[in-house]
Amino acid sequence: DVVMTQSPLSLPVTLGQTASISCRSSQSLVHSDGSTYLNWFQQRPGQSPRRLIYKVSNRDAGVPDRFSGSGSGTDFTLKISRVEAEDVGVYYCMQGTYWPSFSFGPGTKVEIK
Amino acid sequence: QVQLVQSGAEVKRPGASVKVSCQASGYTFTNFDINWVRQATGQGLEWMGWMNPKSGNTGYAQKFQGRVTMTRNTSISTAYMELSSLRSEDTAVYYCAIIIVLPATVPPYWGQGTLVTVSS
């Protein structure tokens, strides 16, 4: 199984500042088709997960452009610019490269200072 | 529209088994794998495994091999996840989900979750 790790696990952020979350995989996430299937999810308290980013850097429909993803190979980053109160929640990276097997990172809890 | 509707909450004793169902609608059931993901209270998302509704083929995360069984009944578009030898650490919300890799533009669909409580 591909192991996903994240840091930090807890991230207090001041409103309006930038939050940055790192995600690493135990194996390269470059698929044989050349794409990298790394996704980011947001889970607000009491809600089901919602995907924000797919294939490293593509935002899903309706996701504010304050959210951006980057990275390659085994190292990836999610940045949240101009953090707002509604961004509080837990953020997970998830690999889909080794579909049909998937794996999630442990999650990073974003809270407002 | 795609909908995944799960069975209700369960309370089980340690050592027992639980079987959670996930009824699909709004699409052709055999077109997409059903995945199972669980989340213990206050903990992260944990992928458990997948099942192909057309073939019945399955794949399980190493952690659950030998304890989980995923099956389906295509006549009623329903997937099942059975977890045996339950222990307190299995207390969690269990989700079924469709996670489509290609095309990558389609976001995952989630069931509403089923709370399984393991307690003596």
Side-chain angles (χ1 to χ4, degrees):
Chain A
D1 295 352
V2 178
V3 178
M4 307 296 290
T5 56
Q6 289 181 230
S7 62
L9 299 184
S10 179
L11 184 56
V13 186
T14 302
L15 287 172
Q17 297 301 300
T18 296
S20 183
I21 301 170
S22 173
C23 171
R24 282 192 172 168
S25 58
S26 61
Q27 300 176 42
S28 172
L29 297 187
V30 180
H31 192 272
S32 56
D33 68 4
S35 291
T36 300
Y37 297 98
L38 186 282
N39 306 280
W40 288 97
F41 288 80
Q42 174 195 61
Q43 188 176 32
R44 291 175 171 144
Q47 296 187 11
S48 295
R50 167 200 180 198
R51 194 179 72 176
L52 301 175
I53 300 282
Y54 63 93
K55 288 175 67 176
V56 180
S57 59
N58 297 274
R59 277 187 301 277
D60 275 289
V63 174
D65 60 8
R66 301 182 293 101
F67 291 88
S68 63
S70 63
S72 63
T74 60
D75 287 294
F76 305 92
T77 301
L78 174 72
K79 281 197 175 141
I80 313 171
S81 304
R82 306 180 302 281
V83 166
E84 300 182 3
E86 68 174 19
D87 300 333
V88 165
V90 182
Y91 292 80
Y92 299 91
C93 58
M94 187 206 81
Q95 69 79 18
T97 294
Y98 294 91
W99 168 87
S101 293
F102 299 96
S103 41
F104 290 93
T108 294
K109 185 175 184 178
V110 172
E111 58 185 12
I112 304 300
K113 273 185 192 172
Chain B
Q1 70 283 20
V2 173
Q3 272 200 303
L4 300 172
V5 177
Q6 299 182 222
S7 48
E10 302 260 15
V11 178
K12 295 292 181 182
R13 299 287 190 212
S17 297
V18 67
K19 192 170 186 177
V20 179
S21 68
C22 170
Q23 184 165 37
S25 62
Y27 72 102
T28 302
F29 180 59
T30 51
N31 279 0
F32 301 114
D33 293 348
I34 296 287
N35 292 267
W36 289 88
V37 176
R38 78 175 187 180
Q39 185 168 37
T41 304
Q43 302 300 307
L45 301 170
E46 188 171 30
W47 180 80
M48 299 178 68
W50 61 271
M51 183 211 52
N52 181 291
K54 187 171 186 177
S55 64
N57 288 346
T58 56
Y60 305 135
Q62 201 165 2
K63 175 175 179 176
F64 299 101
Q65 283 183 9
R67 256 201 335 139
V68 70
T69 306
M70 296 177 188
T71 58
R72 89 289 193 212
N73 182 333
T74 55
S75 67
I76 55 172
S77 299
T78 299
Y80 303 93
M81 185 284 299
E82 184 170 19
L83 189 63
S84 62
S85 303
L86 290 169
R87 31 208 190 233
S88 58
E89 311 89 89
D90 295 318
T91 295
V93 175
Y94 290 77
Y95 294 98
C96 59
I98 296 171
I99 305 174
I100 300 170
V101 175
L102 289 171
T105 51
V106 180
Y109 298 96
W110 298 84
Q112 83 276 20
T114 296
L115 175 62
V116 175
T117 303
V118 182
S119 174
S120 54

